[in-house]
Amino acid sequence: MLTDFKDEDFDSKIKNEDISVIQFSAAWCGPCKTLKPIMDKLANEYKGKAGFYYADIEDGGINTGSAAGIRGVPTVIIYKKGVEVDRKVGGVPESQMKEFLEKNFQFKLSTSPTRYNEPTVPKYELLDLIAIILIASFMLSAIFTSG
């Protein structure tokens, strides 16, 4: 179930959660009304993985929506420790929203919904960079010492 979001929740909750999902909506918006039960279902499915919130851009979420540059509703924004990492604008089917969430959560639901796989950062990136620097410096020294 989505938790009602108020602007003051951004500092007290969104900045402190590993992953937060906010559906920015408006009471008059038809696609927002269609998306809300989908987001409620996904909030229950991903319970414990992320905080899920519902922000009305004309009510309690007006300042946060403005700061986020919301131009159309519904807009779903994923935050990690209060920093926006991705957004999806417009009403979408459940399958697309689930795919969007999983891509950004960097895990797939398994038969054990309590299992969370931490995203892994390849350990070879730094070594690759060091190797490139060493090769480049070797090539430059060979060029300048052979002439």
Side-chain angles (χ1 to χ4, degrees):
M1 183 66 78
L2 294 171
T3 302
D4 284 333
F5 177 87
K6 303 291 181 211
D7 286 325
E8 56 270 11
D9 293 336
F10 196 85
D11 285 331
S12 64
K13 294 180 182 174
I14 308 304
K15 286 184 175 180
N16 294 314
E17 291 179 343
D18 289 331
I19 302 172
S20 305
V21 180
I22 303 178
Q23 177 187 341
F24 290 93
S25 297
W28 48 263
C29 169
C32 300
K33 292 175 185 174
T34 303
L35 183 60
K36 189 169 186 314
I38 293 170
M39 294 301 292
D40 280 333
K41 179 181 177 188
L42 292 173
N44 289 333
E45 196 171 322
Y46 291 108
K47 190 175 185 176
K49 309 292 187 210
F52 281 78
Y53 301 91
Y54 180 88
D56 189 321
I57 61 163
E58 294 179 335
D59 190 18
I62 191 166
N63 294 325
T64 305
S66 178
I70 301 298
R71 300 281 181 258
V73 288
T75 296
V76 175
I77 299 182
I78 298 178
Y79 294 92
K80 292 187 180 179
K81 292 288 189 184
V83 177
E84 180 180 337
V85 294
D86 205 354
R87 71 173 56 197
K88 183 166 278 301
V89 179
V92 296
E94 181 180 339
S95 61
Q96 287 182 16
M97 184 55 68
K98 190 171 185 171
E99 182 180 311
F100 169 72
L101 294 173
E102 288 182 356
K103 173 187 81 163
N104 284 287
F105 291 177
Q106 297 182 8
F107 69 88
K108 301 274 187 207
L109 282 181
S110 67
T111 54
S112 172
T114 57
R115 194 177 104 207
Y116 174 73
N117 296 324
E118 285 290 329
T120 57
V121 178
K123 295 178 182 172
Y124 56 83
E125 288 179 7
L126 181 59
L127 294 176
D128 288 344
L129 182 59
I130 292 170
I132 290 168
I133 292 169
L134 288 173
I135 291 168
S137 62
F138 175 75
M139 291 174 68
L140 287 172
S141 66
I143 291 170
F144 288 114
T145 57
S146 66

mmCIF file of all heavy atoms in Angstrom, residues 83-113:
data_model
loop_
_atom_site.group_PDB
_atom_site.id
_atom_site.type_symbol
_atom_site.label_atom_id
_atom_site.label_comp_id
_atom_site.label_asym_id
_atom_site.label_seq_id
_atom_site.Cartn_x
_atom_site.Cartn_y
_atom_site.Cartn_z
ATOM 1 N N VAL A 83 18.343 10.900 -3.618
ATOM 2 C CA VAL A 83 18.851 11.333 -4.923
ATOM 3 C C VAL A 83 18.066 10.612 -6.011
ATOM 4 O O VAL A 83 17.980 9.379 -6.009
ATOM 5 C CB VAL A 83 20.362 11.023 -5.058
ATOM 6 C CG1 VAL A 83 20.874 11.400 -6.444
ATOM 7 C CG2 VAL A 83 21.149 11.741 -3.976
ATOM 8 N N GLU A 84 17.512 11.379 -6.943
ATOM 9 C CA GLU A 84 16.748 10.772 -8.035
ATOM 10 C C GLU A 84 17.661 9.932 -8.908
ATOM 11 O O GLU A 84 18.723 10.373 -9.315
ATOM 12 C CB GLU A 84 16.080 11.849 -8.893
ATOM 13 C CG GLU A 84 15.283 11.266 -10.032
ATOM 14 C CD GLU A 84 14.598 12.299 -10.919
ATOM 15 O OE1 GLU A 84 14.353 13.432 -10.462
ATOM 16 O OE2 GLU A 84 14.309 11.954 -12.079
ATOM 17 N N VAL A 85 17.219 8.700 -9.179
ATOM 18 C CA VAL A 85 17.986 7.824 -10.069
ATOM 19 C C VAL A 85 17.250 7.531 -11.374
ATOM 20 O O VAL A 85 17.882 7.192 -12.367
ATOM 21 C CB VAL A 85 18.408 6.503 -9.380
ATOM 22 C CG1 VAL A 85 19.394 6.779 -8.265
ATOM 23 C CG2 VAL A 85 17.213 5.737 -8.873
ATOM 24 N N ASP A 86 15.917 7.663 -11.372
ATOM 25 C CA ASP A 86 15.175 7.433 -12.607
ATOM 26 C C ASP A 86 13.746 7.907 -12.416
ATOM 27 O O ASP A 86 13.276 8.071 -11.285
ATOM 28 C CB ASP A 86 15.198 5.947 -12.983
ATOM 29 C CG ASP A 86 14.997 5.703 -14.472
ATOM 30 O OD1 ASP A 86 14.730 6.669 -15.229
ATOM 31 O OD2 ASP A 86 15.112 4.536 -14.881
ATOM 32 N N ARG A 87 13.065 8.112 -13.547
ATOM 33 C CA ARG A 87 11.650 8.488 -13.500
ATOM 34 C C ARG A 87 10.924 7.912 -14.695
ATOM 35 O O ARG A 87 11.516 7.668 -15.737
ATOM 36 C CB ARG A 87 11.464 9.989 -13.407
ATOM 37 C CG ARG A 87 11.808 10.766 -14.658
ATOM 38 C CD ARG A 87 11.443 12.235 -14.581
ATOM 39 N NE ARG A 87 12.038 12.921 -13.454
ATOM 40 C CZ ARG A 87 11.618 14.101 -12.998
ATOM 41 N NH1 ARG A 87 10.624 14.730 -13.581
ATOM 42 N NH2 ARG A 87 12.203 14.665 -11.964
ATOM 43 N N LYS A 88 9.624 7.718 -14.512
ATOM 44 C CA LYS A 88 8.750 7.258 -15.590
ATOM 45 C C LYS A 88 7.524 8.157 -15.568
ATOM 46 O O LYS A 88 6.888 8.326 -14.538
ATOM 47 C CB LYS A 88 8.353 5.803 -15.414
ATOM 48 C CG LYS A 88 7.504 5.289 -16.580
ATOM 49 C CD LYS A 88 7.379 3.790 -16.586
ATOM 50 C CE LYS A 88 8.537 3.066 -17.185
ATOM 51 N NZ LYS A 88 8.859 3.363 -18.567
ATOM 52 N N VAL A 89 7.234 8.753 -16.721
ATOM 53 C CA VAL A 89 6.107 9.674 -16.833
ATOM 54 C C VAL A 89 4.982 8.994 -17.602
ATOM 55 O O VAL A 89 5.224 8.379 -18.637
ATOM 56 C CB VAL A 89 6.532 10.980 -17.542
ATOM 57 C CG1 VAL A 89 5.350 11.942 -17.673
ATOM 58 C CG2 VAL A 89 7.682 11.650 -16.804
ATOM 59 N N GLY A 90 3.773 9.123 -17.078
ATOM 60 C CA GLY A 90 2.594 8.586 -17.755
ATOM 61 C C GLY A 90 2.125 7.286 -17.145
ATOM 62 O O GLY A 90 2.859 6.608 -16.434
ATOM 63 N N GLY A 91 0.885 6.968 -17.443
ATOM 64 C CA GLY A 91 0.325 5.710 -16.967
ATOM 65 C C GLY A 91 0.856 4.552 -17.797
ATOM 66 O O GLY A 91 0.944 4.650 -19.021
ATOM 67 N N VAL A 92 1.256 3.499 -17.147
ATOM 68 C CA VAL A 92 1.791 2.325 -17.836
ATOM 69 C C VAL A 92 1.170 1.070 -17.241
ATOM 70 O O VAL A 92 0.737 1.075 -16.093
ATOM 71 C CB VAL A 92 3.339 2.239 -17.735
ATOM 72 C CG1 VAL A 92 3.998 3.402 -18.446
ATOM 73 C CG2 VAL A 92 3.797 2.170 -16.296
ATOM 74 N N PRO A 93 1.161 -0.021 -18.007
ATOM 75 C CA PRO A 93 0.648 -1.285 -17.463
ATOM 76 C C PRO A 93 1.546 -1.800 -16.328
ATOM 77 O O PRO A 93 2.711 -1.413 -16.219
ATOM 78 C CB PRO A 93 0.688 -2.248 -18.648
ATOM 79 C CG PRO A 93 1.012 -1.453 -19.852
ATOM 80 C CD PRO A 93 1.546 -0.137 -19.406
ATOM 81 N N GLU A 94 0.989 -2.668 -15.531
ATOM 82 C CA GLU A 94 1.716 -3.226 -14.387
ATOM 83 C C GLU A 94 3.041 -3.860 -14.808
ATOM 84 O O GLU A 94 4.061 -3.685 -14.141
ATOM 85 C CB GLU A 94 0.847 -4.260 -13.668
ATOM 86 C CG GLU A 94 1.516 -4.865 -12.456
ATOM 87 C CD GLU A 94 0.641 -5.887 -11.744
ATOM 88 O OE1 GLU A 94 -0.590 -5.869 -11.914
ATOM 89 O OE2 GLU A 94 1.213 -6.719 -11.011
ATOM 90 N N SER A 95 3.044 -4.583 -15.912
ATOM 91 C CA SER A 95 4.264 -5.269 -16.348
ATOM 92 C C SER A 95 5.394 -4.274 -16.634
ATOM 93 O O SER A 95 6.545 -4.511 -16.271
ATOM 94 C CB SER A 95 3.998 -6.130 -17.577
ATOM 95 O OG SER A 95 3.548 -5.322 -18.657
ATOM 96 N N GLN A 96 5.068 -3.151 -17.259
ATOM 97 C CA GLN A 96 6.090 -2.141 -17.545
ATOM 98 C C GLN A 96 6.578 -1.460 -16.275
ATOM 99 O O GLN A 96 7.762 -1.159 -16.137
ATOM 100 C CB GLN A 96 5.563 -1.106 -18.533
ATOM 101 C CG GLN A 96 5.444 -1.619 -19.936
ATOM 102 C CD GLN A 96 4.953 -0.552 -20.897
ATOM 103 O OE1 GLN A 96 4.965 0.634 -20.609
ATOM 104 N NE2 GLN A 96 4.497 -0.988 -22.062
ATOM 105 N N MET A 97 5.666 -1.192 -15.350
ATOM 106 C CA MET A 97 6.070 -0.552 -14.101
ATOM 107 C C MET A 97 6.944 -1.498 -13.289
ATOM 108 O O MET A 97 7.958 -1.084 -12.710
ATOM 109 C CB MET A 97 4.837 -0.136 -13.286
ATOM 110 C CG MET A 97 5.194 0.618 -12.012
ATOM 111 S SD MET A 97 6.231 2.099 -12.247
ATOM 112 C CE MET A 97 5.095 3.174 -13.104
ATOM 113 N N LYS A 98 6.604 -2.770 -13.273
ATOM 114 C CA LYS A 98 7.396 -3.762 -12.546
ATOM 115 C C LYS A 98 8.800 -3.858 -13.149
ATOM 116 O O LYS A 98 9.798 -3.890 -12.425
ATOM 117 C CB LYS A 98 6.699 -5.121 -12.584
ATOM 118 C CG LYS A 98 7.302 -6.152 -11.687
ATOM 119 C CD LYS A 98 6.418 -7.386 -11.622
ATOM 120 C CE LYS A 98 6.961 -8.363 -10.623
ATOM 121 N NZ LYS A 98 6.051 -9.470 -10.370
ATOM 122 N N GLU A 99 8.878 -3.861 -14.465
ATOM 123 C CA GLU A 99 10.169 -3.902 -15.153
ATOM 124 C C GLU A 99 11.003 -2.655 -14.819
ATOM 125 O O GLU A 99 12.199 -2.738 -14.550
ATOM 126 C CB GLU A 99 9.930 -3.990 -16.658
ATOM 127 C CG GLU A 99 11.181 -4.084 -17.498
ATOM 128 C CD GLU A 99 10.849 -4.178 -18.979
ATOM 129 O OE1 GLU A 99 9.993 -5.004 -19.352
ATOM 130 O OE2 GLU A 99 11.442 -3.400 -19.750
ATOM 131 N N PHE A 100 10.353 -1.498 -14.804
ATOM 132 C CA PHE A 100 11.011 -0.234 -14.453
ATOM 133 C C PHE A 100 11.560 -0.290 -13.021
ATOM 134 O O PHE A 100 12.709 0.084 -12.770
ATOM 135 C CB PHE A 100 10.010 0.919 -14.612
ATOM 136 C CG PHE A 100 10.460 2.234 -14.056
ATOM 137 C CD1 PHE A 100 11.446 2.973 -14.686
ATOM 138 C CD2 PHE A 100 9.879 2.746 -12.902
ATOM 139 C CE1 PHE A 100 11.851 4.202 -14.178
ATOM 140 C CE2 PHE A 100 10.276 3.969 -12.380
ATOM 141 C CZ PHE A 100 11.262 4.697 -13.025
ATOM 142 N N LEU A 101 10.755 -0.767 -12.103
ATOM 143 C CA LEU A 101 11.177 -0.858 -10.705
ATOM 144 C C LEU A 101 12.334 -1.838 -10.554
ATOM 145 O O LEU A 101 13.350 -1.523 -9.917
ATOM 146 C CB LEU A 101 10.010 -1.274 -9.808
ATOM 147 C CG LEU A 101 8.863 -0.274 -9.684
ATOM 148 C CD1 LEU A 101 7.716 -0.898 -8.896
ATOM 149 C CD2 LEU A 101 9.316 1.022 -9.056
ATOM 150 N N GLU A 102 12.214 -3.013 -11.124
ATOM 151 C CA GLU A 102 13.255 -4.030 -10.978
ATOM 152 C C GLU A 102 14.579 -3.569 -11.574
ATOM 153 O O GLU A 102 15.642 -3.822 -11.020
ATOM 154 C CB GLU A 102 12.805 -5.348 -11.610
ATOM 155 C CG GLU A 102 11.740 -6.032 -10.782
ATOM 156 C CD GLU A 102 11.292 -7.364 -11.350
ATOM 157 O OE1 GLU A 102 11.755 -7.747 -12.434
ATOM 158 O OE2 GLU A 102 10.468 -8.003 -10.693
ATOM 159 N N LYS A 103 14.506 -2.881 -12.705
ATOM 160 C CA LYS A 103 15.719 -2.360 -13.331
ATOM 161 C C LYS A 103 16.448 -1.419 -12.366
ATOM 162 O O LYS A 103 17.659 -1.460 -12.241
ATOM 163 C CB LYS A 103 15.363 -1.612 -14.617
ATOM 164 C CG LYS A 103 16.528 -0.892 -15.277
ATOM 165 C CD LYS A 103 16.076 -0.047 -16.442
ATOM 166 C CE LYS A 103 15.523 1.253 -15.890
ATOM 167 N NZ LYS A 103 15.409 2.319 -16.869
ATOM 168 N N ASN A 104 15.675 -0.605 -11.669
ATOM 169 C CA ASN A 104 16.280 0.374 -10.767
ATOM 170 C C ASN A 104 16.594 -0.185 -9.390
ATOM 171 O O ASN A 104 17.481 0.313 -8.716
ATOM 172 C CB ASN A 104 15.375 1.602 -10.659
ATOM 173 C CG ASN A 104 15.484 2.456 -11.884
ATOM 174 O OD1 ASN A 104 16.480 3.129 -12.097
ATOM 175 N ND2 ASN A 104 14.475 2.409 -12.738
ATOM 176 N N PHE A 105 15.876 -1.195 -8.963
ATOM 177 C CA PHE A 105 16.185 -1.827 -7.683
ATOM 178 C C PHE A 105 17.391 -2.737 -7.824
ATOM 179 O O PHE A 105 18.006 -3.109 -6.855
ATOM 180 C CB PHE A 105 15.011 -2.670 -7.175
ATOM 181 C CG PHE A 105 13.805 -1.878 -6.744
ATOM 182 C CD1 PHE A 105 12.674 -2.543 -6.320
ATOM 183 C CD2 PHE A 105 13.777 -0.499 -6.761
ATOM 184 C CE1 PHE A 105 11.551 -1.844 -5.909
ATOM 185 C CE2 PHE A 105 12.662 0.208 -6.361
ATOM 186 C CZ PHE A 105 11.541 -0.471 -5.937
ATOM 187 N N GLN A 106 17.695 -3.154 -9.027
ATOM 188 C CA GLN A 106 18.804 -4.049 -9.346
ATOM 189 C C GLN A 106 18.658 -5.406 -8.672
ATOM 190 O O GLN A 106 19.603 -5.973 -8.177
ATOM 191 C CB GLN A 106 20.148 -3.406 -9.005
ATOM 192 C CG GLN A 106 20.408 -2.164 -9.813
ATOM 193 C CD GLN A 106 21.746 -1.556 -9.524
ATOM 194 O OE1 GLN A 106 22.560 -2.125 -8.832
ATOM 195 N NE2 GLN A 106 21.981 -0.400 -10.069
ATOM 196 N N PHE A 107 17.441 -5.874 -8.665
ATOM 197 C CA PHE A 107 17.203 -7.243 -8.225
ATOM 198 C C PHE A 107 15.894 -7.713 -8.832
ATOM 199 O O PHE A 107 15.068 -6.929 -9.232
ATOM 200 C CB PHE A 107 17.157 -7.376 -6.705
ATOM 201 C CG PHE A 107 15.949 -6.734 -6.070
ATOM 202 C CD1 PHE A 107 14.769 -7.440 -5.917
ATOM 203 C CD2 PHE A 107 16.000 -5.433 -5.628
ATOM 204 C CE1 PHE A 107 13.664 -6.855 -5.332
ATOM 205 C CE2 PHE A 107 14.898 -4.834 -5.039
ATOM 206 C CZ PHE A 107 13.732 -5.544 -4.891
ATOM 207 N N LYS A 108 15.729 -8.992 -8.907
ATOM 208 C CA LYS A 108 14.487 -9.598 -9.377
ATOM 209 C C LYS A 108 13.859 -10.341 -8.199
ATOM 210 O O LYS A 108 14.552 -10.895 -7.364
ATOM 211 C CB LYS A 108 14.756 -10.611 -10.501
ATOM 212 C CG LYS A 108 15.446 -10.020 -11.698
ATOM 213 C CD LYS A 108 14.458 -9.435 -12.633
ATOM 214 C CE LYS A 108 15.152 -8.995 -13.900
ATOM 215 N NZ LYS A 108 14.520 -7.942 -14.569
ATOM 216 N N LEU A 109 12.561 -10.332 -8.148
ATOM 217 C CA LEU A 109 11.897 -11.111 -7.108
ATOM 218 C C LEU A 109 12.125 -12.584 -7.389
ATOM 219 O O LEU A 109 12.044 -13.031 -8.517
ATOM 220 C CB LEU A 109 10.401 -10.830 -7.098
ATOM 221 C CG LEU A 109 9.982 -9.530 -6.439
ATOM 222 C CD1 LEU A 109 8.468 -9.411 -6.485
ATOM 223 C CD2 LEU A 109 10.454 -9.458 -5.015
ATOM 224 N N SER A 110 12.464 -13.292 -6.370
ATOM 225 C CA SER A 110 12.631 -14.728 -6.519
ATOM 226 C C SER A 110 11.491 -15.411 -5.779
ATOM 227 O O SER A 110 10.556 -14.774 -5.338
ATOM 228 C CB SER A 110 13.988 -15.145 -5.933
ATOM 229 O OG SER A 110 13.966 -14.959 -4.543
ATOM 230 N N THR A 111 11.603 -16.695 -5.619
ATOM 231 C CA THR A 111 10.571 -17.395 -4.855
ATOM 232 C C THR A 111 10.615 -16.979 -3.393
ATOM 233 O O THR A 111 9.665 -17.158 -2.675
ATOM 234 C CB THR A 111 10.770 -18.918 -4.961
ATOM 235 O OG1 THR A 111 12.107 -19.227 -4.573
ATOM 236 C CG2 THR A 111 10.519 -19.390 -6.369
ATOM 237 N N SER A 112 11.725 -16.408 -2.971
ATOM 238 C CA SER A 112 11.851 -15.905 -1.606
ATOM 239 C C SER A 112 11.854 -14.378 -1.641
ATOM 240 O O SER A 112 12.887 -13.762 -1.862
ATOM 241 C CB SER A 112 13.165 -16.398 -0.980
ATOM 242 O OG SER A 112 13.379 -15.764 0.251
ATOM 243 N N PRO A 113 10.699 -13.733 -1.446
ATOM 244 C CA PRO A 113 10.633 -12.290 -1.590
ATOM 245 C C PRO A 113 11.454 -11.523 -0.561
ATOM 246 O O PRO A 113 11.679 -10.347 -0.721
ATOM 247 C CB PRO A 113 9.140 -11.981 -1.439
ATOM 248 C CG PRO A 113 8.542 -13.174 -0.801
ATOM 249 C CD PRO A 113 9.432 -14.331 -1.105
#
